[in-house]
Amino acid sequence: MIIGLTVILLCQLLGEVVARGLGWPLPGPVLGMLFLLVFLGLRDRVAKKVPELGKPLDATGKGLLAHLSLLFIPASVGVVQRLDVLADYGVGLAIALVASTFVTLVVTVVTFVVVSRLSGSTMDAEAGTRD
Amino acid sequence: MTDQAFSLWVYLSQTPLLWLVVTLSAYVIADRISQAFRRHPIFNPVLMSVIAVALVLWATRTSYPVYFEGAKFVHFLLGPATVALAIPLYENRHIVLRSIVPMMVALVVGSVTAIVSAVSIAQLFGMPNSILISLAPKSVTAPVGMGITEALGGDPALTAILVMLTGVTGSIMVTPLMNALRMNDWRARGFAVGLASHGIGTARAFQVNSLAGTFAGIAMGLNALVTALLLPLVLKLLLD
């Protein structure tokens, strides 16, 4: 678990350094995700000589993702305490937000499915439900 | 309160331990409730926990900075968790690579839809430009959204609130909406909620299906990038 966490944090650190160093509009962790992706690709290629970097790394990462909801609580609590900012345009903002989220979900999912059919990259139903 | 109990409270309320425990307990209970209702979207664990913690803070008159001293340990893990999205992404890499074309088209169409729909609806209510700017990046993960708003002269605090509310709204909406539309492609469902509702939507997707979670994570990352690039241009067209 410690090795897995170290690798993950190392990727995050690299991501922060590159993102801030180059002034990119991406958060460091998103870039760190790309670094971990490259690392995972190399790991499989380089052979299975370091077993600690195999399953334990995957387990550590999946453990974090299983409770992703938890990680949003501290920042979100700060946000609900500042709901007063909404005072002036609360109703309008609420309508805009709900309607826009609805439209965005529909447009995105329909676009994905239609283009998927047109480009012949559809999924069979089983692939998604194996977990 | 007796003197002894009071001094215990003064001690505990100043250590990170108490607020860390409160955060974790609120989540554990909220997650149990969510499970008991078979992950029914209304019982959103983030929303329930946030309300519970906010009530505790209000009842004990605890300020947010004091709370965050403890909760920051949980908050910190958001970074590593984002990095860890690479793990399911790598496992599903063959499916992801085969889906590149629909992903890229849905990314651009969805990203523009998110900005244009929010801003044009808000314009109907006669909101000033500073509010429209703060609303525009609502579908993007908070750090990026706040950065965009700040650069364009909006209010980052307002953006933070709208981003969080968009996350919860999308997480609650997505399952019934996708079922009503008879969308059973987990890639598309996950991608849509990650794009529209960033990390909180991604957390919801991982609860429902791990392939959906993978695509939600990809959409969240890509939409942060595309919105940062496109939003200034789109806003220019909308606001002039």
Side-chain angles (χ1 to χ4, degrees):
Chain A
M1 183 200 149
I2 289 299
I3 292 190
L5 204 55
T6 309
V7 171
I8 290 172
L9 289 174
L10 193 66
C11 289
Q12 187 183 349
L13 181 63
L14 272 176
E16 295 285 5
V17 169
V18 172
R20 283 175 195 262
L22 299 179
W24 285 1
L26 269 187
V30 172
L31 216 56
M33 172 169 77
L34 292 180
F35 285 124
L36 183 59
L37 202 57
V38 172
F39 175 83
L40 293 172
L42 293 176
R43 175 185 78 178
D44 277 9
R45 242 157 262 190
V46 167
K48 323 260 182 251
K49 280 182 186 157
V50 197
E52 292 87 354
L53 293 177
K55 288 246 160 64
L57 169 62
D58 291 3
T60 305
K62 284 181 179 172
L64 279 172
L65 291 175
H67 296 287
L68 195 53
S69 298
L70 164 67
L71 314 184
F72 288 103
I73 297 170
S76 302
V77 169
V79 156
V80 295
Q81 291 200 327
R82 293 226 40 207
L83 288 177
D84 56 299
V85 178
L86 296 178
D88 290 341
Y89 294 96
V91 178
L93 284 172
I95 293 172
L97 199 148
V98 170
S100 167
T101 305
F102 181 91
V103 172
T104 306
L105 283 170
V106 173
V107 168
T108 308
V109 79
V110 170
T111 307
F112 193 113
V113 168
V114 169
V115 175
S116 182
R117 268 180 213 153
L118 292 177
S119 66
S121 62
T122 45
M123 294 277 307
D124 36 304
E126 294 138 66
T129 48
R130 69 204 156 108
D131 294 288
Chain B
M1 226 188 284
T2 66
D3 279 357
Q4 224 175 359
F6 182 71
S7 59
L8 178 65
W9 167 253
V10 169
Y11 169 70
L12 279 181
S13 61
Q14 297 306 321
T15 67
L17 177 66
L18 179 65
W19 301 113
L20 194 53
V21 172
V22 167
T23 306
L24 285 167
S25 313
Y27 172 73
V28 168
I29 295 168
D31 195 51
R32 278 297 150 90
I33 296 174
S34 163
Q35 274 174 18
F37 287 93
R38 287 178 294 144
R39 299 286 180 208
H40 189 282
I42 282 292
F43 298 96
N44 184 281
V46 181
L47 185 61
M48 288 191 292
S49 315
V50 168
I51 293 172
V53 172
L55 285 176
V56 171
L57 296 187
W58 174 77
T60 58
R61 294 182 196 175
T62 304
S63 74
Y64 182 67
V66 170
Y67 164 74
F68 197 75
E69 264 311 294
K72 70 183 177 192
F73 299 104
V74 171
H75 180 73
F76 171 77
L77 290 174
L78 259 185
T82 307
V83 175
L85 286 169
I87 293 165
L89 178 55
Y90 185 73
E91 274 178 4
N92 290 308
R93 62 193 178 278
H94 300 297
I95 301 174
V96 172
L97 285 174
R98 265 197 293 146
S99 315
I100 277 283
V101 179
M103 265 175 15
M104 290 305 139
V105 180
L107 169 67
V108 175
V109 173
S111 187
V112 172
T113 305
I115 303 168
V116 173
S117 60
V119 173
S120 39
I121 294 168
Q123 273 178 323
L124 297 178
F125 290 89
M127 293 183 203
N129 281 2
S130 66
I131 301 229
L132 297 176
I133 293 168
S134 312
L135 171 68
K138 62 153 188 25
S139 286
V140 175
T141 185
V144 177
M146 292 169 77
I148 294 173
T149 301
E150 198 156 24
L152 296 175
D155 175 7
L158 179 57
T159 300
I161 294 172
L162 296 170
V163 165
M164 197 275 280
L165 293 175
T166 304
V168 173
T169 305
S171 307
I172 292 175
M173 224 182 240
V174 63
T175 304
L177 179 59
M178 295 301 158
N179 289 345
L181 293 170
R182 295 176 198 279
M183 292 291 162
N184 45 25
D185 184 333
W186 288 113
R187 300 172 307 164
R189 290 174 67 132
F191 197 83
V193 78
L195 187 142
S197 293
H198 52 89
I200 301 180
T202 303
R204 167 69 189 172
F206 269 112
Q207 281 177 352
V208 176
N209 178 287
S210 83
L211 187 65
T214 302
F215 275 81
I218 300 170
M220 172 181 74
L222 291 177
N223 193 32
L225 181 65
V226 167
T227 304
L229 297 173
L230 281 185
L231 195 131
L233 300 170
V234 176
L235 267 189
K236 197 160 226 173
L237 294 174
L238 286 173
L239 298 185
D240 285 347

